[in-house]
Amino acid sequence: MLFFSVLALVTLTVAVPHSKRATTFFNPNDGGGRMLTDATGGFGAADDLGEPLNVIISGTSSAAVLTDDGFLNYAQSLGFSFECLGLHLGGPQSANLGDGNGWVNQTVEYRQDYGNEEIGTCLESLIGGNHLRMFRQNGSSEDTGALFLAVSQEEDVADGHDIVANGYDIGRNALVASAIAVGGTNANGVSYSTTALNITGLLAAGAAGVNHDIATDGVTTLLTVTIL
Ligand SMILES: *[C@@H]1O[C@H](CO)[C@@H](O)[C@H](O)[C@H]1NC(C)=O
Ligand SMILES: *[C@@H]1O[C@H](CO)[C@@H](O)[C@H](O)[C@H]1NC(C)=O
Ligand SMILES: *[C@@H]1O[C@H](CO)[C@@H](O)[C@H](O)[C@H]1NC(C)=O
């Protein structure tokens, strides 16, 4: 009897979600990682090109936002959703966030949904639009829970679905503008308030190592998201 109560207690403890964390994020460069993904399908060869991780969702955000379900809902509040009919265009990219996980595949990829969470991203796949890949900083050495996003504005399918000129900065700015819109954002009954802080020095400005040779301004925007 005692045994079963103890078991029940343990299960309960494990099921409780993470409380709000104390750390915004850990700089991947300080842990052998980098602020560029590996877009070549490899796992971090020094000369592999990648996309800038140009937005970070702070580990100090409301804990639910940092879960897979919670992040999808937040992304939906910004006008993104899961890929068209669950189909992937192209292979996954990998990133090393310096957290002890080494190079890992992206967790999810979402696209601009043009106002329809179910099928709107099919339109994005055809006509292009904004797009993000998410990586979670949860390795055993730096378990901040922060989410690192590679955001980019894509061309339409006829143009090979590449990134538009200046598409990394454009994609980041568009996502951030939606996030900090006056009055906040909401999806499926959950309301969010988001603050933004620009950080430089995580990634050099320019096109060195950047896929498609598209230069960036080197700015990473840190978003702190609070569920209201
Ligand atoms: C990463 O994704 C690729 C393509 O889906 C897959 O072949 C590979 O096994 C994945 N690697 C890891 C470490 O999960
Ligand atoms: C860390 O995040 C990855 C990717 O989102 C997930 O698959 C994995 O289960 C997480 N690890 C832990 C220890 O929570
Ligand atoms: C961050 O930098 C971008 C690019 O310079 C700028 O457009 C944006 O307004 C800045 N955002 C904040 C919150 O400072």
Side-chain angles (χ1 to χ4, degrees), residues 16-91:
V16 168
H18 294 293
S19 55
K20 211 161 174 168
R21 300 173 193 235
T23 310
T24 50
F25 69 95
F26 172 74
N27 180 352
N29 298 297
D30 293 340
R34 68 181 195 203
M35 289 298 283
L36 288 170
T37 66
D38 187 329
T40 64
F43 285 90
D47 60 350
D48 282 352
L49 302 175
E51 296 183 351
L53 292 161
N54 47 11
V55 172
I56 301 173
I57 311 281
S58 174
T60 61
S61 299
S62 295
V65 174
L66 304 175
T67 66
D68 286 354
D69 287 351
F71 177 66
L72 171 58
N73 202 73
Y74 179 63
Q76 288 178 331
S77 87
L78 306 183
F80 288 76
S81 199
F82 39 81
E83 292 186 280
C84 175
L85 309 174
L87 297 174
H88 273 301
L89 288 173

Side-chain angles (χ1 to χ4, degrees), residues 95-110:
N96 181 350
L97 302 180
D99 55 357
N101 279 340
W103 288 89
V104 293
N105 281 338
Q106 65 198 39
T107 300
V108 292
E109 183 167 353
Y110 295 143

Side-chain angles (χ1 to χ4, degrees), residues 172-173 176 180 196-198 217 219 221:
R172 175 201 62 210
N173 290 348
V176 171
I180 64 175
L197 178 70
N198 278 347
D217 57 14
V219 169
T221 305

Side-chain angles (χ1 to χ4, degrees), residues 45-209:
D47 60 350
D48 282 352
L49 302 175
E51 296 183 351
L53 292 161
N54 47 11
V55 172
I56 301 173
I57 311 281
S58 174
T60 61
S61 299
S62 295
V65 174
L66 304 175
T67 66
D68 286 354
D69 287 351
F71 177 66
L72 171 58
N73 202 73
Y74 179 63
Q76 288 178 331
S77 87
L78 306 183
F80 288 76
S81 199
F82 39 81
E83 292 186 280
C84 175
L85 309 174
L87 297 174
H88 273 301
L89 288 173
Q93 297 189 6
S94 61
N96 181 350
L97 302 180
D99 55 357
N101 279 340
W103 288 89
V104 293
N105 281 338
Q106 65 198 39
T107 300
V108 292
E109 183 167 353
Y110 295 143
R111 297 175 187 279
Q112 190 175 346
D113 68 16
Y114 292 101
N116 186 313
E117 290 172 358
E118 300 302 323
I119 56 167
T121 58
C122 301
L123 198 55
E124 196 280 349
S125 298
L126 286 173
I127 66 173
N130 212 353
H131 152 260
L132 68 83
R133 305 168 191 277
M134 181 271 267
F135 301 86
R136 179 174 284 118
Q137 189 169 55
N138 68 350
S140 53
S141 57
E142 298 295 341
D143 184 12
T144 67
L147 308 180
F148 284 62
L149 313 183
V151 188
S152 58
Q153 179 81 12
E154 294 180 314
E155 291 173 336
D156 63 25
V157 75
D159 283 314
H161 235 262
D162 275 347
I163 311 299
V164 303
N166 203 24
Y168 299 114
D169 293 349
I170 291 174
R172 175 201 62 210
N173 290 348
L175 180 145
V176 171
S178 312
I180 64 175
V182 176
T185 60
N186 62 81
N188 306 306
V190 185
S191 297
Y192 305 94
S193 163
T194 303
T195 58
L197 178 70
N198 278 347
I199 301 174
T200 51
L202 295 174
L203 178 69

